[in-house]
Amino acid sequence: MRLRRDPRLERSAHLLPSSGARPRYDLTQRSGRPRRDPRQEAASQTVRLAPLRIDRTQHVSLLASAAQAAPIPESKPAVVRVEDTALRVLVIADPGKGSLTPMDRQLLAAARVAAGASGGVVLAVDREVDDAGSAGADRIVILPESAHPADRFETALALRTAIPLAHMMLPETPAGGDLGRRLAARFGWALFSGVEQIGARGLVRAVRGRKVDQEQAECPEILTLAPDMVPLRSDAPREGRIVSLDLPRAKRAVERVRPARGSLPLADSDFVVSAGNGIRDFDLFRSVAAALSGTPGASRVVCDSGDMPRAAQVGASGTVLAADCYLALGIAGAPQHLQGIAGCRHVIAVNTDLHAAMVERAELAIVADAQPVMEALLRLAQEKQP
């Protein structure tokens, strides 16, 4: 049986002798453990440091310490090199000029997936390019410059004989698709055209209506890649070594017919001159577009006002461009308009607002009124004409 506690008796045990009328108690020793004082504990753990002194006479040591504190630049990844026996995929690019096109880079990215980490990729191109190694090419073969389908077919036959690889990859374009089907019909090779995905599912393409996907697990001898489907890769750079081969020269002449000025639709034009809300003289604008051999375009505000036809509207709700050059005259740059020119390679903007979104998007910007700029462009274009 436990005795009942008497709080009054316990409290009287802590009574302090006092002469006052009010009694005083010492309750700190109730449990037999001394009471903690946090302030005293913190004061006992405080470390007092001496004030920092700077010696400004030691210039050399300060410079040395600053050099030691400077960030070390990141080292570039090592170039990957493969043997000739590891080459697996042959990529034949379309004829072109200058550096690699976005379609060429997509072909190399898809070829890297098909070849694997240990496999090699050979790029056949009709011009010298400097960025093929960084795009994923282990070997580069310079083809004779020719645009005739029969000459390209004979060159591909000789290339296939000189470099017999397991797979051949071409773009699903008028030139690449024609060459791929010619080779498949000549040798009876398996052809999988219009590939849109290369990955764990194998090769995937969509049928008409995009309601059903066709898949193939194994990579065939020849495949063609659909444009703007395979994302680019950021792997370690490849060697990109140029290989010299004795390939047949072009035998057939090709006549290049230039289309009439401004006759190409917006989706197929390489150079688009577009007008925005800052344009007042649209007759002058059309004259400038015709003098520069560009296809005229416009923003949504201009098309809504009736100054330009609806077919000329550029943007997410109009025509999405993939032009090499886009000249924006008096266009501020709404988000929908910027979405429509996301695929353009070079953008030139003329606007009075330095902080306009189109000026930020452009590689070259002229901060001025578009009217005198158009007059100067028309004058210079007329002086250059014979």
Side-chain angles (χ1 to χ4, degrees), residues 123-311:
L123 172 64
V125 63
D126 63 346
R127 60 196 183 276
E128 294 186 3
V129 290
D130 299 332
D131 50 353
S134 60
D138 297 281
R139 305 285 189 275
I140 303 174
V141 178
I142 306 299
L143 301 178
E145 184 178 355
S146 176
H148 199 281
D151 287 337
R152 298 189 71 238
F153 175 67
E154 295 177 359
T155 303
L157 290 179
L159 180 62
R160 174 72 181 187
T161 305
I163 308 178
L165 301 184
H167 310 287
M168 186 179 299
M169 189 175 297
L170 302 97
E172 185 58 41
T173 57
D178 176 79
L179 180 57
R181 287 160 177 81
R182 284 172 179 259
L183 293 172
R186 176 66 177 271
F187 296 101
W189 293 335
L191 170 64
F192 197 82
S193 60
V195 176
E196 299 182 356
Q197 296 180 21
I198 298 180
R201 298 171 59 187
L203 306 179
V204 181
R205 66 181 177 188
V207 298
R208 182 176 299 177
R210 295 184 178 272
K211 295 181 180 180
V212 178
D213 289 342
Q214 294 180 347
E215 302 179 5
Q216 181 168 327
E218 298 181 357
C219 186
E221 287 86 351
I222 300 179
L223 63 91
T224 59
L225 186 68
D228 301 328
M229 289 295 176
V230 176
L232 302 181
R233 298 169 60 89
S234 58
D235 297 339
R238 296 282 169 161
E239 185 177 3
R241 187 204 316 167
I242 298 180
V243 179
S244 299
L245 297 177
D246 187 12
L247 300 176
R249 296 294 174 180
K251 303 176 183 178
R252 302 164 181 85
V254 177
E255 180 182 0
R256 298 183 180 274
V257 180
R258 296 181 61 88
R261 294 178 176 177
S263 61
L264 291 177
L266 284 175
D268 300 333
S269 179
D270 292 335
F271 179 40
V272 177
V273 182
S274 193
N277 198 28
I279 299 299
R280 301 181 301 274
D281 190 351
F282 284 91
D283 293 335
L284 176 61
F285 165 74
R286 294 184 181 90
S287 302
V288 170
L292 298 178
S293 301
T295 302
S299 63
R300 181 175 180 176
V301 177
V302 175
C303 294
D304 290 342
S305 63
D307 295 319
M308 291 290 291
R310 183 63 61 184

Side-chain angles (χ1 to χ4, degrees), residues 347-351 353-354 358-360 362-368:
V347 177
I348 303 174
V350 179
N351 201 290
D353 187 5
L354 176 61
M358 183 61 69
V359 174
E360 297 179 0
E363 300 179 34
L364 175 63
I366 301 176
V367 183

Side-chain angles (χ1 to χ4, degrees), residues 66-152:
Q68 294 177 358
I72 301 175
E74 298 182 358
S75 59
K76 297 182 179 180
V79 177
V80 179
R81 292 178 172 83
V82 298
E83 301 295 334
D84 293 341
T85 56
L87 300 176
R88 295 187 57 192
V89 183
L90 173 62
V91 175
I92 302 181
D94 280 348
K97 295 182 180 179
S99 59
L100 293 177
T101 62
M103 187 68 222
D104 298 337
R105 296 181 178 275
Q106 294 171 24
L107 280 171
L108 290 174
R112 288 252 55 91
V113 177
S118 59
V121 176
V122 180
L123 172 64
V125 63
D126 63 346
R127 60 196 183 276
E128 294 186 3
V129 290
D130 299 332
D131 50 353
S134 60
D138 297 281
R139 305 285 189 275
I140 303 174
V141 178
I142 306 299
L143 301 178
E145 184 178 355
S146 176
H148 199 281
D151 287 337
R152 298 189 71 238

